[in-house]
Amino acid sequence: DTAVSQTPKYLVTQMGNDKSIKCEQNLGHDTMYWYKQDSKKFLKIMFSYNNKELIINETVPNRFSPKSPDKAHLNLHINSLELGDSAVYFCASSQERLITPNEQFFGPGTRLTVL
Amino acid sequence: QKEVEQNSGPLSVPEGAIASLNCTYSDRGSQSFFWYRQYSGKSPELIMFIYSNGDKEDGRFTAQLNKASQYVSLLIRDSQPSDSATYLCAVKTKNFNKFYFGSGTKLNVKP
């Protein structure tokens, strides 16, 4: 199946731990994103990579570090987890085009709960 | 001011009625506009995109864009209970690959 996949789907951990979320897309897209969706359903962009290069880095604590080993993968590592990090994290991908809109395709999400 | 604003709802309509969802945006240079549907516990899925002023129809869905008013809407005709979900408006700005999402409007279609 062509899709955006994320692992794990659920992540429950203690405050202060370090955790990683992985994302892979097999759509052949050149751009990948991480979004955070809070309890109020507000979807906020965190990072964007184009051809493995970081192009968007929103106001995110530096405890969050994305890594893109290749165009098809974008991982998110979070250090020293805090209660406020609890949310659903979505990975997305798109193909950047100059003329037609480049819609994003979302992964299934990772529900992170920090205790 | 948020980049994209939506009424959070819930918007309740009876089955078979027209549901009208609205969105305003602040960046006049925004280029492309998207409507996503998100069921509870699921990821957003694209319904429609529009980038020219006017209307764009796809089945029961019509997207409307008015760049002068910085306004985009989604009409759902013959609403079905399966349309009950949160609808997210997204805007792509001039900044490379920068998308902004609204907080979503929850739609309830009552049988």
Side-chain angles (χ1 to χ4, degrees):
Chain A
D1 287 344
T2 54
V4 181
S5 58
Q6 292 179 232
T7 54
K9 192 168 172 61
Y10 299 97
L11 188 51
V12 181
T13 188
Q14 299 286 333
M15 246 184 355
N17 284 351
D18 303 339
K19 290 293 178 186
S20 291
I21 308 172
K22 294 185 176 181
C23 178
E24 177 181 0
Q25 57 93 5
N26 60 5
L27 297 164
H29 290 165
D30 61 1
T31 307
M32 296 184 73
Y33 312 78
W34 277 112
Y35 286 89
K36 178 181 180 182
Q37 188 170 46
D38 59 26
S39 56
K40 294 182 180 177
K41 302 299 182 187
F42 186 57
L43 199 62
K44 186 170 182 187
I45 191 165
M46 300 172 69
F47 302 103
S48 175
Y49 271 73
N50 176 264
N51 287 315
K52 301 194 300 175
E53 286 192 31
L54 180 65
I55 53 170
I56 294 174
N57 185 349
E58 290 294 284
T59 310
V60 176
N62 57 15
R63 298 182 294 105
F64 290 79
S65 52
K67 280 192 173 58
S68 182
D70 55 56
K71 278 196 331 180
H73 295 85
L74 180 61
N75 303 323
L76 183 65
H77 188 76
I78 315 170
N79 289 327
S80 304
L81 278 154
E82 299 177 359
L83 293 176
D85 297 332
S86 296
V88 180
Y89 292 83
F90 285 102
C91 177
S93 73
S94 69
Q95 179 64 35
E96 182 65 8
R97 302 184 191 97
L98 290 176
I99 301 174
T100 55
N102 48 340
E103 63 269 29
Q104 297 183 330
F105 294 85
F106 284 81
T110 296
R111 182 174 292 278
L112 171 64
T113 303
V114 182
L115 303 174
Chain B
Q1 182 188 7
K2 290 184 179 175
E3 289 83 4
V4 180
E5 304 235 30
Q6 292 182 256
N7 187 325
S8 62
L11 172 66
S12 290
V13 300
E15 185 175 354
I18 295 175
S20 177
L21 304 160
N22 304 315
C23 170
T24 58
Y25 59 95
S26 60
D27 185 347
R28 194 171 280 281
S30 297
Q31 298 176 321
S32 311
F33 307 86
F34 305 82
W35 282 100
Y36 285 83
R37 177 176 61 200
Q38 187 175 24
Y39 292 112
S40 181
K42 301 294 185 183
S43 57
E45 54 178 333
L46 181 72
I47 299 175
M48 291 189 72
F49 62 81
I50 186 168
Y51 54 93
S52 299
N53 271 330
D55 295 1
K56 180 181 177 183
E57 189 174 317
D58 184 1
R60 296 186 296 113
F61 299 95
T62 299
Q64 299 174 317
L65 175 60
N66 183 328
K67 288 187 177 181
S69 301
Q70 294 174 240
Y71 176 93
V72 58
S73 65
L74 179 70
L75 299 177
I76 307 174
R77 287 181 299 282
D78 188 24
S79 295
Q80 302 297 308
S82 58
D83 294 327
S84 298
T86 297
Y87 288 80
L88 302 169
C89 173
V91 173
K92 182 174 186 284
T93 67
K94 271 186 187 172
N95 292 333
F96 186 65
N97 283 340
K98 203 151 191 176
F99 287 79
Y100 291 103
F101 281 80
S103 55
T105 298
K106 188 168 184 179
L107 173 66
N108 289 330
V109 181
K110 298 180 178 178

